[in-house]
Amino acid sequence: MLYESLDKQNYRSYTAIMNKKDIRKNEIIGSSINLMYLRGYNGTSVKDITDAAAIPKGSFYNYFEDKEHYAVDAIHYYRSIIVKERFQVFENRSLSPLDRIKEFYDLSILKLKEREIPLGCFVGNITQEMGENSVLISEAASMFHSEITNLIYLALVEAADCNELNSPADLEKLAGFIVSSWQGTLLMLKVTADRSVLDDFICILNGVILK
Amino acid sequence: MLYESLDKQNYRSYTAIMNKKDIRKNEIIGSSINLMYLRGYNGTSVKDITDAAAIPKGSFYNYFEDKEHYAVDAIHYYRSIIVKERFQVFENRSLSPLDRIKEFYDLSILKLKEREIPLGCFVGNITQEMGENSVLISEAASMFHSEITNLIYLALVEAADCNELNSPADLEKLAGFIVSSWQGTLLMLKVTADRSVLDDFICILNGVILK
């Protein structure tokens, strides 16, 4: 599993409030999410998922209405377990508001660089492929993107209030732009041999945007 | 066809230097590219393509080795025909260097807003879905992204030389960041009900990045 060290701890606290069926559901997603992560929604069949989770194909439907609902649950799993720790950076009051934003992306890059294959952002990937094709997936993805945009927006407002930021921009638009830029950077990572696009993102974020 | 008015002229000049088989190949792509545009690579079958082009399934292989090669040719078609006019903005010396960049994105947004469904960028879409899964597609997509990054970079250098731009940033990184941000904006467009993310992109591009 790619996220083993990070996830065991998060997984334990998350599952403490879940019922047995939900726990099993998350175990199935945990064993199979990397397939959809790498191959995309249409590139992953229910059979692929059940093979990865080592369960009979039929039992998939005990946990998920169909593949579309699996994808929606996988988005929630991604948010609640895989990137949970990164989101918590915004609660860290020992960091300045801008440093919280920088730390969020520094941590994201650290995670990406740890892996041999840069899988990008699960939600970004599925947004691109399915955003226009599934209302259910689109809504779940939109909630994810809105949450991070809002956290960045609040940090930007705090930074402006304490004069850490002197940007002439509308801060709501600036927050959206940062989130979009990051997703675009992950997209570019898919066709470049080296990972310098990640460092370039940080360079422009820190040197131009968060000024 | 979505691009009818723009493309007829471009298509004529492009096909003047092509042989008969290549012309037919492009006609097939022209009649079917919107399927892969909207549904993605894995969501589009060879049968879907031949149905859209109104040709027998078997004859697909007279023109394309397989679906992967179709996708590569579709990337070239997208660059040579669909977005050709937009790329020519960078040759317009009556515009200042920064205005060329702004005009490029203004035109892109105009095209997006004309359509009922925001299809995004064909190459961006396929980069996201297939960038890690096909070397052929990845290389063709990378060439496309590199070309636009380079055009923007050259305009930024020219802008800096004539003091139109006073950015403290490394201009190569800045060019890459602009291209990434645009691709990320298109991705966000897939999960938002309104199209204000496009105007927000222009607002931050003009007000923060190109200063």
Side-chain angles (χ1 to χ4, degrees), chain B residues 66-176:
Chain B
D66 49 26
K67 193 171 80 171
E68 195 179 10
H69 284 79
Y70 168 91
V72 169
D73 287 338
I75 290 172
H76 295 315
Y77 177 94
Y78 181 77
R79 166 64 187 90
S80 314
I81 297 177
I82 296 178
V83 295
K84 182 187 173 191
E85 202 171 277
R86 267 172 267 168
F87 273 66
Q88 286 171 339
V89 165
F90 289 99
E91 294 162 23
N92 185 350
R93 298 285 141 180
S94 69
L95 293 174
S96 79
L98 292 193
D99 281 345
R100 278 174 237 151
I101 301 174
K102 292 173 187 174
E103 178 71 2
F104 176 78
Y105 287 112
D106 281 342
L107 276 177
S108 301
I109 288 177
L110 200 68
K111 284 285 147 200
L112 281 164
K113 287 188 174 175
E114 272 174 17
R115 299 173 199 158
E116 204 177 325
I117 306 166
L119 295 171
C121 166
F122 180 77
V123 189
N125 294 0
I126 208 160
T127 297
Q128 183 76 296
E129 188 183 355
M130 297 302 293
E132 287 149 343
N133 303 315
S134 158
V135 174
L136 279 182
I137 293 174
S138 172
E139 282 175 355
S142 182
M143 271 180 60
F144 176 88
H145 296 306
S146 295
E147 185 186 358
I148 176 62
T149 306
N150 194 46
L151 287 168
I152 290 175
Y153 168 69
L154 293 175
L156 290 175
V157 170
E158 208 181 316
D161 284 349
C162 65
N163 294 317
E164 195 190 0
L165 179 73
N166 299 304
S167 176
D170 175 303
L171 298 184
E172 214 169 327
K173 292 178 182 175
L174 194 64

Side-chain angles (χ1 to χ4, degrees), chain A residues 1-107:
Chain A
M1 214 176 143
L2 281 182
Y3 317 101
E4 203 168 6
S5 59
L6 168 65
D7 290 347
K8 269 190 180 154
Q9 185 61 36
N10 287 336
Y11 192 74
R12 261 187 234 116
S13 59
Y14 184 65
T15 53
I17 50 163
M18 295 167 74
N19 68 36
K20 211 173 158 187
K21 188 173 176 182
D22 284 338
I23 291 171
R24 185 70 191 114
K25 195 179 201 177
N26 270 291
E27 283 170 356
I28 294 169
I29 296 173
S31 322
S32 58
I33 190 171
N34 286 341
L35 284 179
M36 198 172 275
Y37 215 149
L38 182 61
R39 298 185 200 162
Y41 181 88
N42 285 302
T44 308
S45 67
V46 169
K47 177 80 168 55
D48 293 333
I49 293 166
T50 53
D51 282 354
I55 56 169
K57 189 173 172 192
S59 71
F60 177 87
Y61 300 98
N62 296 336
Y63 299 98
F64 312 97
E65 202 172 313
D66 49 27
K67 194 171 79 170
E68 195 179 9
H69 285 79
Y70 168 91
V72 169
D73 286 338
I75 290 173
H76 295 315
Y77 178 93
Y78 182 77
R79 166 61 187 92
S80 314
I81 297 177
I82 296 178
V83 294
K84 181 186 173 191
E85 200 171 277
R86 268 173 267 167
F87 273 66
Q88 286 170 339
V89 165
F90 289 99
E91 295 161 22
N92 185 348
R93 300 282 141 182
S94 70
L95 293 175
S96 80
L98 292 193
D99 280 346
R100 277 172 236 151
I101 301 174
K102 293 172 186 175
E103 179 72 2
F104 176 77
Y105 286 112
D106 281 342
L107 276 176

Side-chain angles (χ1 to χ4, degrees), chain B residues 50-76:
Chain B
T50 53
D51 283 352
I55 57 169
K57 189 174 172 193
S59 71
F60 177 87
Y61 300 97
N62 296 335
Y63 299 97
F64 312 98
E65 204 172 311
D66 49 26
K67 193 171 80 171
E68 195 179 10
H69 284 79
Y70 168 91
V72 169
D73 287 338
I75 290 172
H76 295 315

